[in-house]
Amino acid sequence: MMDDSEDSKRSKGCHGSPAADEVNDGGMVGGMIPLKKGPWTSAEDAILIDYVKKHGEGNWNAVQKHSGLFRCGKSCRLRWANHLRPDLKKGAFTPEEENCIVELHAMMGNKWARMAAELPGRTDNEIKNYWNTRIKRLQRASLPIYPPDVCLRLYKTIQDGQNMGTLQTGDTYDPELMQTDHFKIPEVEFKNLELSRGVPSYSLGLFDTSASSMLKQGVGSSYGNGLVFPTMHPAKRPRESQTIFTGLDGIVGRGLPVSVFDQLTDYPCGKIIEHSGLSSPYDPDLSTYDQPSWDVLPGSHAILNDNSSSASAPICVAMKLELPSLQYSESQQDSWGTPASPLPSLESVDTLIQSPPTKEMWSDGQSSRSSGLLDAVLYESRNLKNSKKCSGHPTSDVSVAFGEIHGSPLNPSETEWEVHADLKSPSGHSTSSLYSECTPVSGSSLDGRGENI
DNA sequence: AACACTGACAACCGCCTATGC
DNA sequence: CGCATAGGCGGTTGTCAGTGT
């Protein structure tokens, strides 16, 4: 893009590489020649391409030594990876790719490199830029980041996974067995994944690396509290731990930022999950989800800003934390093929802003980075699971989670819920039956946030 | 025509981990 | 085991082009 722009614009010496700084005395080659910064010229590109052809990728710091290119190794690597690689796909994202990115982000958060791995020919930088632009646009319009269908699909996927995991409760972790016999989670080849399927292939793939790791660990396994993914490269664990889960029984995004949860709960989609659950992920009639009358979730933003009463402040925070939007617009609704509904009133917006978790829920050093919807959904799943353990009331949360609104949308407090979904879990339990086993009275077992449901 | 705004893009920065010595 | 270096990743910033007023 700016390859042919002249170097004169910016050439302050490379600080991109700490190594270069340290070794080269602040961006100087051998302390003498300043490393170039700024846009790459086509000549530089040619040099770099030539170098890679001859020597292959890697050893980027040697590029400068052997090619006379006055760029730090990092800069070379970036240039090659983002622009010069022959397998790069140029041009705008296709709608399929865009959908894929949204769903991937819902699953894994800001893991651009991982997302890029799912999109052949695309770079993490591209995806990141696309996402940031999208976020900005949606937030400016106060639109939700994740389309409802993404939320639902994700939740369904998680739910299925969790049901499978339930079978493993108490099992000892055996990587091979888990891999091949028990869960039948394939070694998913993510490349060229099919898009726009009911449950995207990468969902399984993601499970293989994150959620499935939990499954593999098995509930109550020795890994349960270790926050360690046996299948993950150790090097990645610390970073991944930002979105790590405490094992199936404790399915919760360890680093799940409040903001993401906010989105899940504030955003009608979150409500979908909370309230309608699996009634039908593909239910075309999502209009009920758009009711501006979702129950009030009081005092929830205390974590975010220590001031649950300020409705606008969280929005500002959200800009950073990908906190989402508060309502649908007609256009957005339409674009997602769901019925439009009136925008919530400002009061409703205020209400929706508030929701989320108590401090103890996110107390263990959550990251400010987005972890995606997956974490949030997992969290919800955990809550549901916990409630299952705790109680056996035949109504309430279960109905809430998997029910259908029967009450007046204008009076959420009196809304009645009724189980009507009967999706079969892999374990043979229907979701309704599974969750009807655990039916704490609203607020009784959800870590003190039952009133949120 | 001038200006502001926005989106797209490229590149840099800082932090982190892996690896080799 | 500690240190230095290389490389990867995510966040941020800067630039440019297009568009609307």
Side-chain angles (χ1 to χ4, degrees):
Chain A
M1 178 180 174
M2 294 193 289
D3 289 351
D4 295 326
S5 62
E6 290 313 313
D7 330 350
S8 56
K9 284 180 186 172
R10 289 179 294 170
S11 55
K12 307 168 190 169
C14 178
H15 293 276
S17 167
D21 288 350
E22 292 154 13
V23 173
N24 297 326
D25 190 26
M28 307 287 275
V29 178
M32 298 298 291
I33 308 169
L35 290 175
K36 187 165 170 284
K37 288 174 67 177
W40 281 65
T41 64
S42 49
E44 289 176 313
D45 283 346
I47 293 174
L48 183 56
I49 291 171
D50 188 57
Y51 176 87
V52 174
K53 276 181 186 172
K54 288 178 182 170
H55 301 91
E57 297 182 41
N59 201 11
W60 295 109
N61 280 348
V63 176
Q64 180 265 319
K65 296 174 188 169
H66 296 129
S67 68
L69 201 54
F70 297 118
R71 295 277 185 173
C72 64
K74 268 192 169 184
S75 187
C76 293
R77 184 184 65 82
L78 220 57
R79 183 65 184 174
W80 175 259
N82 289 341
H83 301 282
L84 303 179
R85 260 168 44 201
D87 59 329
L88 283 182
K89 194 188 293 182
K90 298 291 184 181
F93 286 107
T94 65
E96 289 76 18
E97 285 174 321
E98 291 177 357
N99 290 337
C100 183
I101 289 170
V102 171
E103 298 200 18
L104 284 169
H105 191 276
M107 303 285 288
M108 49 173 92
N110 295 359
K111 302 298 176 188
W112 312 119
R114 280 174 60 189
M115 292 165 73
E118 313 302 324
L119 292 167
R122 299 298 185 179
T123 69
D124 53 352
N125 212 30
E126 267 183 303
I127 296 170
K128 182 168 56 181
N129 285 334
Y130 166 78
W131 185 260
N132 288 338
T133 301
R134 170 191 156 87
I135 292 295
K136 235 191 290 183
R137 185 173 63 244
L138 293 178
Q139 285 181 332
R140 186 178 298 116
S142 293
L143 295 174
I145 293 172
Y146 299 110
D149 61 309
V150 170
C151 297
L152 290 169
R153 266 204 300 272
L154 180 61
Y155 187 66
K156 172 75 166 62
T157 303
I158 298 297
Q159 197 58 56
D160 288 347
Q162 184 168 351
N163 288 338
M164 287 193 292
T166 304
L167 291 174
Q168 296 301 316
T169 300
D171 284 357
T172 302
Y173 171 62
D174 180 334
E176 289 189 7
L177 282 177
M178 294 291 191
Q179 189 95 32
T180 58
D181 296 333
H182 287 57
F183 291 109
K184 301 190 188 307
I185 296 173
E187 287 298 333
V188 176
E189 177 58 59
F190 298 134
K191 305 296 181 191
N192 306 315
L193 53 89
E194 270 186 60
L195 300 169
S196 306
R197 297 196 322 204
V199 176
S201 61
Y202 49 79
S203 299
L204 296 174
L206 291 165
F207 273 55
D208 190 51
T209 57
S210 56
S212 69
S213 298
M214 299 183 302
L215 299 178
K216 292 173 183 176
Q217 292 167 23
V219 177
S221 76
S222 58
Y223 294 99
N225 297 322
L227 302 174
V228 172
F229 289 116
T231 59
M232 292 172 62
H233 194 288
K236 292 298 175 190
R237 286 171 192 165
R239 271 188 191 273
E240 298 301 332
S241 69
Q242 290 168 350
T243 56
I244 225 161
F245 314 94
T246 59
L248 190 56
D249 206 23
I251 279 180
V252 59
R254 182 188 179 216
L256 180 59
V258 173
S259 61
V260 173
F261 188 86
D262 285 349
Q263 162 144 356
L264 185 62
T265 51
D266 293 348
Y267 168 40
C269 170
K271 300 296 185 183
I272 295 169
I273 293 172
E274 282 186 280
H275 296 268
S276 67
L278 300 178
S279 60
S280 173
Y282 310 104
D283 188 346
D285 181 15
L286 295 175
S287 58
T288 55
Y289 307 143
D290 302 328
Q291 301 294 344
S293 58
W294 298 104
D295 3 2
V296 175
L297 306 168
S300 48
H301 254 289
I303 288 180
L304 254 185
N305 58 2
D306 241 338
N307 181 5
S308 60
S309 65
S310 71
S312 57
I315 298 178
C316 300
V317 175
M319 294 298 286
K320 276 287 186 200
L321 301 183
E322 296 182 18
L323 188 70
S325 50
L326 308 167
Q327 71 254 4
Y328 294 104
S329 77
E330 287 188 61
S331 60
Q332 183 77 40
Q333 292 284 311
D334 292 341
S335 71
W336 290 337
T338 51
S341 66
L343 291 174
S345 64
L346 286 177
E347 289 77 8
S348 303
V349 171
D350 287 353
T351 294
L352 288 171
I353 290 173
Q354 324 207 355
S355 65
T358 58
K359 262 180 185 168
E360 45 274 328
M361 290 161 59
W362 311 110
S363 59
D364 61 342
Q366 73 233 20
S367 162
S368 62
R369 291 176 180 174
S370 166
S371 302
L373 264 179
L374 177 60
D375 292 335
V377 173
L378 286 171
Y379 169 75
E380 278 305 307
S381 299
R382 200 266 308 244
N383 278 343
L384 289 171
K385 198 171 179 65
N386 284 345
S387 20
K388 174 185 171 182
K389 286 181 186 171
C390 302
S391 156
H393 295 286
T395 57
S396 69
D397 280 351
V398 170
S399 339
V400 168
F402 297 97
E404 176 182 26
I405 301 173
H406 283 260
S408 162
L410 297 178
N411 194 355
S413 64
E414 293 177 11
T415 297
E416 294 177 359
W417 303 83
E418 174 183 286
V419 173
H420 77 124
D422 196 32
L423 301 179
K424 290 292 182 182
S425 75
S427 61
H429 294 80
S430 71
T431 50
S432 58
S433 63
L434 174 65
Y435 284 92
S436 60
E437 294 174 30
C438 132
T439 52
V441 173
S442 179
S444 64
S445 64
L446 297 182
D447 295 337
R449 51 181 290 278
E451 71 274 17
N452 289 358
I453 296 182

